[in-house]
Amino acid sequence: MSRLIVISNRVSVPDKKKKDGAQGGLAVALGAALKEHRGIWFGWSGKETEVFTGDLNMQRTDGITTATIDLEPQDIDEYYNGYANRTLWPLFHFRIDLAEYERQFGSGYERVNERFATSVAPLIEPDDLVWVHDYHLLPLGKMLRDRGIKNRIGFFLHIPWPPTRLLVSLPFHERLVLTMLEYDIIGFQTREWLESFCHYVEKELGGTVDADGVIRFEDRVVKAQAFPIGIDYEEFSRAAVGDTARSAYERLVQSAEGKKVLIGVDRLDYSKGLPDRFEAYDRFLTQNAESAKDVVLLQIAPPSREAVVTYQEIRETLEGLTGSINGAHADIDWVPIRYVNRGYPRAELAGFYRASRIALVTPLRDGMNLVAKEYVAAQDPEDPGVLILSRFAGAALQLTDALMVNPHSGDEVSEAIRTALAMPKEERIRRWQGMIETVKNEDVKKWQKDFVAALKGS
Ligand code: ADQ
């Protein structure tokens, strides 16, 4: 079996014992994938160094070999906080209004990608498969080719790919996409993002794309395909009935005192639609005053990317909204929103999901969204809860039995909450059965196997 070299911005081995801090979807998914393959996970350590040396820190933790490099403060500002999170992330989530186009962000991004390539290239042996992840490293394939790496190299994008009309607002968009054509395979979460990419290649570059997603441009042949990511269903559904989950479940049920819990679990990110969600819930409380006190919203939202000002703003917005909604509706024995700014171990989250009658997964745009799948996996088959899901999450293309909403419409979300609360058990079971099949069959192991098979060219 070929070795797998996984390359992503950050390397963080999932640690079940870790009590604080959330683990992003990427860390969770890759941890599961890497355990099955011997190989190396390469990326940034998350640490700063005064002067970049390219020295590798190699470690073996929990069955996974990692190799990391430290970056200079200027690298972190321009590449990570700058181009990745102030330019590409907002643009790729359709927020062109938030995208900042600064020349030094672009050059920092290219410089750090070159640094990644220089440091990882010596680790790559002739038969290795190389799998690059996400928007931080779009041009890495080209930079590896420039260093003589002839291996099969694949790329997977965890976030949406924007429509051509938005992407062309990015200075040097052509140069960026051209570097991606050095990969052998490019994976997207859904057909929608795949089609946007192919559209760009045809319309802006003049390449051709056949019915199998094979792109031809000059002398390059690249396969583009959708690989919807899943969760580690086995691990998660087991965790949901374990001791830790059970006590988390009890804790939430007891504290809710007979009220139905609505749960939201998201990184604190403007793409997740949290203010819109809170406003829709406010509307629900106003329009359904008689049943308002029968519910409580638990929103778990650990801060992320705090160095970026838009993330500081979303935090302030939410704190303000929580205060005003709680102020307007609360009584001496009831507060409508419990807003928690921290991460929880996965097993505890599973218990919270199981104790919640409704999950509100209402991002304005999301590559996939794993919380939706985790919620489904954690439910009691005899008495499952209802998933309210944004049609703009990649997961909406798979979880078609969810209550689908337009997250921009407060009326629609408020109405969906009402419908979910009144939904008879038979309908809850029927919808859940439709979804659990997908969550179970299209899990992270299948995602990883499918991608690696495509990367091998088999
Ligand atoms: P994210 O934007 O981070 O991932 P998501 O897919 O929902 O979004 O994954 C979040 C993960 O973090 C989930 O596994 C969740 O349980 C965990 N998490 C969130 N809040 C937590 C908390 N308070 N405590 C503990 N754990 C918490 C990106 C893309 C997504 C894509 C994934 C995977 O933006 O669209 O689905 O990568 O490809």
Side-chain angles (χ1 to χ4, degrees):
M1 191 169 38
S2 303
R3 243 175 27 146
L4 190 61
I5 309 289
V6 168
I7 309 175
S8 64
N9 168 54
R10 280 292 295 276
V11 171
S12 75
V13 179
D15 179 355
K16 292 194 195 84
K17 287 169 238 117
K18 203 161 115 186
K19 289 262 187 298
D20 56 344
Q23 282 178 340
L26 183 59
V28 173
L30 286 183
L34 269 156
K35 277 196 184 145
E36 286 203 21
H37 285 259
R38 38 185 211 108
I40 301 171
W41 187 356
F42 173 86
W44 173 35
S45 59
K47 292 189 198 125
E48 279 183 18
T49 173
E50 271 320 300
V51 181
F52 179 78
T53 59
D55 290 348
L56 288 172
N57 180 8
M58 308 270 302
Q59 259 181 12
R60 203 167 158 75
T61 321
D62 202 14
I64 298 169
T65 301
T66 57
T68 56
I69 49 171
D70 302 340
L71 293 176
E72 292 176 11
Q74 191 186 353
D75 292 340
I76 299 164
D77 274 355
E78 295 174 354
Y79 147 82
Y80 180 70
N81 293 321
Y83 202 75
N85 287 328
R86 288 164 69 175
T87 308
L88 294 179
W89 177 274
L91 174 64
F92 281 39
H93 286 86
F94 297 50
R95 292 297 303 269
I96 184 171
D97 58 316
L98 297 180
E100 295 173 55
Y101 300 146
E102 297 289 341
R103 205 160 267 196
Q104 82 268 21
F105 290 173
S107 49
Y109 183 74
E110 290 191 354
R111 181 180 66 247
V112 172
N113 270 269
E114 297 280 7
R115 290 184 163 175
F116 265 60
T118 305
S119 303
V120 75
L123 296 176
I124 301 172
E125 292 170 8
D127 288 333
D128 290 349
L129 297 168
V130 182
W131 186 1
V132 180
H133 289 262
D134 231 3
Y135 60 102
H136 315 87
L137 302 173
L138 292 166
L140 189 68
K142 158 95 171 74
M143 292 165 182
L144 289 171
R145 297 287 181 226
D146 290 346
R147 285 161 180 79
I149 301 293
K150 298 204 165 39
N151 302 50
R152 300 271 303 172
I153 311 179
F155 176 83
F156 183 79
L157 183 68
H158 289 259
I159 67 174
W161 183 269
T164 302
R165 281 184 188 165
L166 292 187
L167 184 54
V168 294
S169 72
L170 178 72
F172 304 109
H173 54 88
E174 226 176 70
R175 171 162 146 175
L176 183 66
V177 182
L178 280 174
T179 62
M180 293 175 69
L181 299 183
E182 296 291 335
Y183 291 110
D184 294 294
I185 174 128
I186 303 178
F188 298 91
Q189 299 275 24
T190 69
R191 285 208 67 79
E192 189 181 342
W193 321 134
L194 168 67
E195 283 165 12
S196 295
F197 181 79
C198 293
H199 181 269
Y200 179 93
V201 168
E202 287 179 326
K203 296 290 184 266
E204 291 294 319
L205 302 181
T208 61
V209 186
D210 73 13
D212 294 325
V214 176
I215 294 170
R216 289 189 171 77
F217 177 78
E218 295 178 348
D219 61 343
R220 294 292 307 148
V221 181
V222 189
K223 168 106 171 142
Q225 198 178 323
F227 298 90
I229 199 168
I231 61 166
D232 188 340
Y233 169 79
E234 239 175 65
E235 181 246 12
F236 202 83
S237 54
R238 205 178 321 119
V241 292
D243 291 344
T244 309
R246 213 186 314 267
S247 48
Y249 173 96
E250 289 300 335
R251 193 174 151 206
L252 183 52
V253 168
Q254 270 173 26
S255 76
E257 295 177 325
K259 300 180 199 340
K260 288 180 178 148
V261 179
L262 284 67
I263 194 168
V265 175
D266 311 75
R267 274 187 309 101
L268 198 39
D269 191 302
Y270 50 81
S271 67
K272 304 292 182 185
L274 294 165
D276 311 67
R277 183 183 306 169
F278 280 20
E279 279 162 7
Y281 179 62
D282 182 28
R283 193 170 298 214
F284 166 81
L285 296 176
T286 307
Q287 291 171 346
N288 300 274
E290 69 298 341
S291 55
K293 285 190 184 163
D294 300 335
V295 299
V296 57
L297 170 63
L298 170 61
Q299 177 63 55
I300 300 178
S304 74
R305 305 175 191 166
E306 289 175 280
V308 178
V309 76
T310 41
Y311 286 78
Q312 295 158 11
E313 285 165 5
I314 181 89
R315 187 168 181 170
E316 281 167 24
T317 305
L318 276 175
E319 280 166 5
L321 271 173
T322 308
S324 64
I325 296 169
N326 280 344
H329 299 278
D331 210 333
I332 51 158
D333 53 358
W334 172 69
V335 177
I337 303 180
R338 295 182 190 177
Y339 175 52
V340 188
N341 273 144
R342 51 165 284 201
Y344 286 90
R346 303 174 54 64
E348 276 186 46
L349 268 191
F352 297 152
Y353 288 140
R354 201 176 170 92
S356 302
R357 170 52 62 87
I358 297 173
L360 280 169
V361 181
T362 55
L364 305 179
R365 236 13 106 161
D366 215 330
M368 174 55 65
N369 195 295
L370 294 176
V371 169
K373 296 184 174 184
E374 290 168 358
Y375 178 74
V376 171
Q379 294 309 295
D380 175 358
E382 312 285 323
D383 190 17
V386 182
L387 173 63
I388 296 180
L389 180 60
S390 162
R391 53 176 297 190
F392 303 125
L397 276 81
Q398 290 182 296
L399 304 179
T400 49
D401 284 309
L403 270 188
M404 223 57 89
V405 292
N406 171 358
H408 298 279
S409 164
D411 284 325
E412 215 174 296
V413 175
S414 158
E415 187 63 28
I417 295 174
R418 219 160 56 152
T419 307
L421 287 170
M423 191 179 284
K425 197 194 250 185
E426 303 73 58
E427 184 178 348
R428 283 191 275 123
I429 293 177
R430 184 174 53 70
R431 285 177 180 269
W432 178 80
Q433 283 172 342
M435 295 189 284
I436 195 69
E437 283 309 304
T438 311
V439 171
K440 194 176 186 170
N441 298 333
E442 317 233 336
D443 69 347
V444 73
K445 289 178 191 145
K446 178 172 188 298
W447 170 76
Q448 169 240 316
K449 273 218 298 271
D450 288 352
F451 190 92
V452 172
L455 179 53
K456 281 182 187 150
S458 55

